Amino acid sequence: TRQAKYELIASLPKKALAVFNGNNGITRLMAKQTKDKQVVMYGTSSKFKIAATEIDEKIDGLSFQLHLDKTTLSCKTEIIGKQYIENILAAVAVAHHLKISPTDIKKSISELTSLEGRLKHAGSFKGALLIDDTFNANPDSVRAAIDYLTLAPGKKYLILNPMIELGKIAKKVHAEIATY
């Protein structure tokens, strides 16, 4: 899989921008092997030029400190689920490379909204907060939804579609999710 994904990077023209998630060991290796491109790594550590730190996940969204080289901005978005920070950082890396101002980047982050079916507030019912996360369940996304639910007070009910694409390991993974 790594080799197939790296074909995307290898096919870029020389000196093109190649953006890598520095939080992921596999993509860090891919970045190290990239020689004729402009490599940018982002992550959730201040060691990266593009970074999010002091991430605070609340029931109504995320806030974090965004580091762009030597500039630090306090950012907030209505997107729920801390797993989206890395996606935001990838977009920020490209925007920063394109010389979009830090002020405009911060404003754009504040205007982000969740896509339909992807960990999105879906209203309420008799005092219960409803979350729609029906697009495509996988073990990581279900764990992220469970983690998010821990932010809400009171009882929690989780209604899930089966993760049928897991094949032979589906029963085992469903049991692990139930335990989680």
Side-chain angles (χ1 to χ4, degrees):
T1 302
R2 181 180 80 158
Q3 184 178 357
K5 288 188 180 228
Y6 191 76
E7 289 174 6
L8 295 169
I9 301 299
S11 69
L12 290 171
K14 287 186 178 190
K15 298 185 181 178
L17 178 66
V19 179
F20 295 96
N21 181 348
N23 290 342
N24 182 293
I26 293 170
T27 54
R28 280 195 310 272
L29 289 173
M30 292 167 69
K32 284 182 183 176
Q33 79 182 65
T34 304
K35 301 297 179 206
D36 61 348
K37 318 287 188 244
Q38 295 179 62
V39 172
V40 173
M41 278 202 293
Y42 62 85
T44 54
S45 163
S46 58
K47 70 181 178 182
F48 299 108
K49 288 184 178 184
I50 308 293
T53 61
E54 300 177 43
I55 300 164
D56 188 19
E57 181 181 30
K58 298 243 190 275
I59 200 76
D60 63 344
L62 299 167
S63 61
F64 57 94
Q65 294 297 304
L66 176 64
H67 306 276
L68 301 170
D69 293 320
K70 296 180 192 276
T71 301
T72 300
L73 304 165
S74 294
C75 295
K76 186 170 172 78
T77 179
E78 291 180 14
I79 288 184
I80 57 176
K82 64 185 173 195
Q83 72 278 8
Y84 287 112
I85 288 288
E86 291 175 345
N87 296 339
I88 292 169
L89 289 174
V92 166
V94 173
H96 187 61
H97 176 78
L98 294 173
K99 309 261 189 265
I100 295 173
S101 75
T103 303
D104 286 343
I105 291 172
K106 178 179 176 171
K107 182 177 184 288
S108 295
I109 290 170
S110 73
E111 295 170 350
L112 291 173
T113 59
S114 296
L115 297 171
E116 292 299 319
R118 291 176 178 90
L119 205 57
K120 183 174 183 167
H121 288 173
S124 61
F125 179 75
K126 294 186 178 182
L129 173 64
L130 303 176
I131 303 296
D132 177 6
D133 195 30
T134 57
F135 175 73
N136 184 20
N138 66 61
D140 290 338
S141 71
V142 173
R143 283 184 193 94
I146 292 168
D147 290 346
Y148 174 74
L149 287 176
T150 65
L151 299 173
K155 291 183 181 180
K156 291 128 181 115
Y157 299 92
L158 191 60
I159 302 167
L160 301 169
N161 288 325
M163 296 177 280
I164 57 175
E165 69 279 356
L166 297 174
K168 294 178 184 178
I169 64 167
K171 187 174 182 177
K172 176 182 177 247
V173 172
H174 282 88
E176 288 171 355
I177 292 294
T179 300
Y180 187 80

